[in-house]
Amino acid sequence: MMGEIRSVIELGDGRLRSQAQPVHPVDDPQLQRVIDDLLTTGAAKNGVGIAAPQVALGLQLFIVASRPNPRYPQAPTMEPTAMINPHILSHSDDLVRGWEGCLSVPGRRGLVPRYREIEVAYQDRYGQVHRHYLQDFVARIFQHEYDHLQGMVFLDRIHDPRDILTEAEYQQRFG
Ligand code: ZN
């Protein structure tokens, strides 16, 4: 993976609020470069996920890359995965609240309700279709990134503004 770090757009940029478009074909060299750049950008900025709209590309594409890092020390480890044209096929009834941050919302953390388990489908970077269940933190990342493709950010899911903290306050309490 020899991607370049792209600049991440932030809350207030209208491109974060746009509906992303389906991607095809997947084997396009430019798309493969975007995937490499997203992988590199997410890793460089200690993200556990990053979506194409965050680098101002209106494509239905994101990376899920759970791993422990300074921003998420408790995260489980998985192979960073590009998910293209993703869908949520079904979800559990139960919602769990957990802390989230976002590279496009620097300096803030929020307590966000998400489905504990989801059934998802997506294409990988080779065009292969995958369909499986995700639970807990990885399901949370998927739902967070999926929201980006609909022009949503995690703050939109928070019912009580008192569930939003500064990063410094979050680190003091939970870091
Ligand atoms: Zn985000």
Short mmCIF file of all heavy atoms in Angstrom, two decimals, residues 49-51 54 101-105 144-145 148 152-154, ligand 1:
data_model
loop_
_atom_site.label_atom_id
_atom_site.label_comp_id
_atom_site.label_asym_id
_atom_site.label_seq_id
_atom_site.Cartn_x
_atom_site.Cartn_y
_atom_site.Cartn_z
N GLY A 49 -11.60 4.31 10.98
CA GLY A 49 -12.41 4.26 9.77
C GLY A 49 -12.33 5.60 9.10
O GLY A 49 -12.06 6.62 9.75
N ILE A 50 -12.51 5.59 7.79
CA ILE A 50 -12.56 6.86 7.05
C ILE A 50 -13.39 6.62 5.79
O ILE A 50 -13.29 5.56 5.18
CB ILE A 50 -11.14 7.39 6.73
CG1 ILE A 50 -11.20 8.78 6.07
CG2 ILE A 50 -10.36 6.40 5.86
CD1 ILE A 50 -9.83 9.46 5.97
N ALA A 51 -14.21 7.60 5.47
CA ALA A 51 -15.12 7.46 4.33
C ALA A 51 -14.71 8.43 3.23
O ALA A 51 -14.20 9.52 3.50
CB ALA A 51 -16.56 7.73 4.77
N GLN A 54 -15.13 12.19 3.34
CA GLN A 54 -14.24 12.95 4.23
C GLN A 54 -13.02 13.49 3.51
O GLN A 54 -12.35 14.38 4.01
CB GLN A 54 -13.80 12.08 5.41
CG GLN A 54 -14.96 11.70 6.33
CD GLN A 54 -14.48 10.90 7.51
OE1 GLN A 54 -14.41 9.67 7.46
NE2 GLN A 54 -14.09 11.59 8.58
N GLY A 101 -15.60 9.49 17.90
CA GLY A 101 -15.01 10.73 17.41
C GLY A 101 -15.00 10.64 15.90
O GLY A 101 -15.43 9.64 15.33
N CYS A 102 -14.49 11.69 15.27
CA CYS A 102 -14.49 11.69 13.80
C CYS A 102 -13.38 12.63 13.33
O CYS A 102 -13.23 13.73 13.87
CB CYS A 102 -15.85 12.18 13.29
SG CYS A 102 -15.97 12.25 11.49
N LEU A 103 -12.64 12.18 12.33
CA LEU A 103 -11.55 13.01 11.79
C LEU A 103 -12.10 14.31 11.21
O LEU A 103 -11.37 15.30 11.12
CB LEU A 103 -10.78 12.25 10.72
CG LEU A 103 -10.05 10.97 11.21
CD1 LEU A 103 -9.42 10.24 10.04
CD2 LEU A 103 -9.03 11.29 12.28
N SER A 104 -13.39 14.33 10.84
CA SER A 104 -13.99 15.54 10.29
C SER A 104 -14.64 16.41 11.38
O SER A 104 -15.16 17.49 11.07
CB SER A 104 -15.05 15.17 9.25
OG SER A 104 -14.44 14.51 8.15
N VAL A 105 -14.61 15.92 12.61
CA VAL A 105 -15.16 16.69 13.75
C VAL A 105 -14.07 16.72 14.82
O VAL A 105 -14.21 16.11 15.89
CB VAL A 105 -16.45 16.04 14.31
CG1 VAL A 105 -17.11 16.95 15.34
CG2 VAL A 105 -17.45 15.72 13.18
N HIS A 144 -21.06 4.27 11.61
CA HIS A 144 -20.53 5.64 11.57
C HIS A 144 -20.12 6.00 10.13
O HIS A 144 -20.48 7.07 9.62
CB HIS A 144 -19.33 5.73 12.53
CG HIS A 144 -18.62 7.05 12.52
ND1 HIS A 144 -18.57 7.87 13.63
CD2 HIS A 144 -17.93 7.71 11.54
CE1 HIS A 144 -17.88 8.97 13.32
NE2 HIS A 144 -17.49 8.90 12.07
N GLU A 145 -19.37 5.10 9.49
CA GLU A 145 -18.90 5.38 8.12
C GLU A 145 -20.05 5.37 7.12
O GLU A 145 -20.09 6.19 6.19
CB GLU A 145 -17.82 4.37 7.71
CG GLU A 145 -16.61 4.30 8.64
CD GLU A 145 -15.97 5.64 8.93
OE1 GLU A 145 -16.06 6.55 8.09
OE2 GLU A 145 -15.39 5.78 10.02
N HIS A 148 -21.69 8.61 6.88
CA HIS A 148 -20.98 9.59 6.05
C HIS A 148 -21.45 9.52 4.59
O HIS A 148 -21.49 10.54 3.90
CB HIS A 148 -19.47 9.36 6.08
CG HIS A 148 -18.78 9.95 7.28
ND1 HIS A 148 -18.84 11.29 7.58
CD2 HIS A 148 -18.00 9.39 8.24
CE1 HIS A 148 -18.12 11.53 8.69
NE2 HIS A 148 -17.60 10.39 9.11
N MET A 152 -24.35 12.27 6.71
CA MET A 152 -24.57 12.45 8.15
C MET A 152 -23.25 12.35 8.92
O MET A 152 -22.32 11.67 8.48
CB MET A 152 -25.52 11.36 8.69
CG MET A 152 -26.94 11.51 8.20
SD MET A 152 -28.01 10.28 9.00
CE MET A 152 -28.03 10.86 10.70
N VAL A 153 -23.21 13.01 10.09
CA VAL A 153 -22.08 12.84 11.01
C VAL A 153 -22.63 12.39 12.36
O VAL A 153 -23.84 12.48 12.61
CB VAL A 153 -21.26 14.14 11.17
CG1 VAL A 153 -20.64 14.56 9.84
CG2 VAL A 153 -22.11 15.25 11.76
N PHE A 154 -21.73 11.90 13.23
CA PHE A 154 -22.20 11.28 14.47
C PHE A 154 -22.97 12.24 15.37
O PHE A 154 -23.84 11.82 16.13
CB PHE A 154 -21.04 10.61 15.24
CG PHE A 154 -20.11 11.55 15.94
CD1 PHE A 154 -20.30 11.86 17.28
CD2 PHE A 154 -19.03 12.12 15.29
CE1 PHE A 154 -19.44 12.72 17.96
CE2 PHE A 154 -18.16 12.99 15.94
CZ PHE A 154 -18.37 13.29 17.27
ZN ZN B 1 -16.40 10.15 10.79
#
